[in-house]
Amino acid sequence: MRVAGLLLALAGRAAGPAPSRPPTWTEPRTGMVFVTIPAGTFVMGSPLREKEREAQEVQHEVTLTRGFSLGAYEVTGGQWRRLMGVNPSHFAARGDDFPVERVNFPDIQEFLARMNAAQSSRTFRLPTEAEWEYACRAGTTTAFATGDRLASTQASFLAAPGEGGRGTTRVGSFGPNAWGLHDMHGNVWEWTADEYCPYPVGPARDPNPRCGSGLKVIRGGSWYFGADSARCALRYTHPQNELGFSLGFRVAADSR
C-alpha cells in the first residue's frame, strides 16, 4: 500500500525536478550539444488507463542519484562521419544534419570509444533505459512530453496508415521538450545501454538490469512507426548486431 500510495502521489504532480530549462555545453570535436540533466525521482512506466499501453510497462518509482548529460539532438550522420570516416545511413544523401541510422550496438561502442579517447574530463556512453525515459518525460507524467496526444507538427512519425514512409527529418526540426531535448519522440529509434529485462517489483535506484535476454532496449519510436510507439513509456527491443533505417542513438555523458 505504501508503494502504491507513493506512485499515486507522484503521478499527481510533475515527476522529478521542476521542468525548468537546464544548462547546456558543447563537445568541441563533434559539435554535439549536451543538456545537463539533474538527479531526481520519477515514476517509470505507464498507468493502466494509458491508451495503447503494454503490460510490460509496469509503473514503479525510480531514483537517479546522479545527474548526467544527454545530447540535445540525435547523433547526426555528419558527426558519425567525423569520427568514423563514413556516413552509413540509408538517408545519407539528405545531408549531414539528419540522424545517423543503420548503426548497431557494437558500432556505437566504437564511436563512443573514439569520443572518449579525445576527452579527459568526461565519459561518453549510451543512456540507460531509466535515464532515457526520465529525460523524455522532462517532469511530465502524460503519455508524451507534449501531453496525451502527439501531433504530426510535434514529431516525425507515421501519422496515418498508407501515407508512406517519408524517411528521417533534420534533427531539431521539431520543438524541444521542457528540458531542451529534441526528437525524443519519433525520427529514429534510439539505442539504450540496457539489456531488456522485466521491470523490478517496487522502487529502484539507478537501475542496471541483467537477466540474460540477449536483447537491447530501444526507445522513442521513429518516422517508420505510429505515434503509439513514441510514447514515453514504450519499450522496444533489438538484437545488438541488427541494423535498421529507422534506428539511431543519442549520447549521454558523465563527469570523470
Side-chain angles (χ1 to χ4, degrees):
M1 292 294 293
R2 187 187 70 82
V3 172
L6 178 59
L7 290 179
L8 287 172
L10 285 170
R13 62 174 174 78
S20 57
R21 189 64 62 87
T24 63
W25 55 274
T26 301
E27 195 282 318
R29 188 179 181 197
T30 61
M32 283 185 201
V33 177
F34 285 85
V35 177
T36 304
I37 306 296
T41 297
F42 76 112
V43 177
M44 191 171 182
S46 62
L48 294 176
R49 66 180 180 277
E50 186 165 303
K51 187 178 179 182
E52 306 294 341
R53 180 187 187 271
E54 297 186 359
Q56 61 179 325
E57 300 167 16
V58 178
Q59 281 195 305
H60 59 293
E61 178 193 354
V62 172
T63 298
L64 300 176
T65 62
R66 297 179 297 277
F68 60 99
S69 294
L70 189 65
Y73 308 95
E74 293 161 332
V75 175
T76 67
Q79 290 165 338
W80 183 276
R81 180 165 45 77
R82 207 164 299 161
L83 294 190
M84 306 293 279
V86 64
N87 179 359
S89 302
H90 180 80
F91 298 106
R94 295 191 172 190
D96 282 352
D97 295 333
F98 288 72
V100 70
E101 16 85 10
R102 288 189 52 79
V103 289
N104 63 25
F105 194 86
D107 292 336
I108 293 168
Q109 299 312 304
E110 175 60 27
F111 178 86
L112 295 170
R114 295 187 187 193
M115 284 190 74
N116 285 319
Q119 173 64 259
S120 59
S121 62
R122 300 182 189 272
T123 299
F124 297 102
R125 57 180 176 81
L126 285 172
T128 67
E129 184 182 12
E131 288 172 338
W132 191 98
E133 184 170 328
Y134 177 64
C136 180
R137 292 186 177 282
T140 66
T141 60
T142 47
F144 308 95
T146 57
D148 286 323
R149 294 182 64 254
L150 185 67
S152 59
T153 56
Q154 296 170 315
S156 174
F157 60 92
L158 195 65
E163 72 170 2
R166 298 185 303 269
T168 55
T169 55
R170 182 175 283 104
V171 300
S173 294
F174 299 91
N177 68 12
W179 284 350
L181 300 162
H182 295 259
D183 299 314
M184 296 296 286
H185 301 304
N187 212 11
V188 291
W189 288 100
E190 299 179 14
W191 288 99
T192 73
D194 285 358
E195 182 181 9
Y196 173 74
C197 298
Y199 280 154
V201 176
R205 291 171 63 87
D206 302 318
N208 183 27
R210 296 286 186 273
C211 63
S213 72
L215 297 171
K216 290 292 184 180
V217 176
I218 61 174
R219 288 298 203 115
S222 79
W223 65 269
Y224 196 64
F225 286 73
D228 63 299
S229 294
R231 290 181 300 108
C232 295
L234 193 280
R235 312 175 76 196
Y236 203 51
T237 64
H238 259 289
Q240 295 188 38
N241 292 318
E242 199 163 291
L243 304 169
F245 59 15
S246 67
L247 180 54
F249 72 111
R250 75 180 67 218
V251 175
D254 299 314
S255 297
R256 289 181 179 171

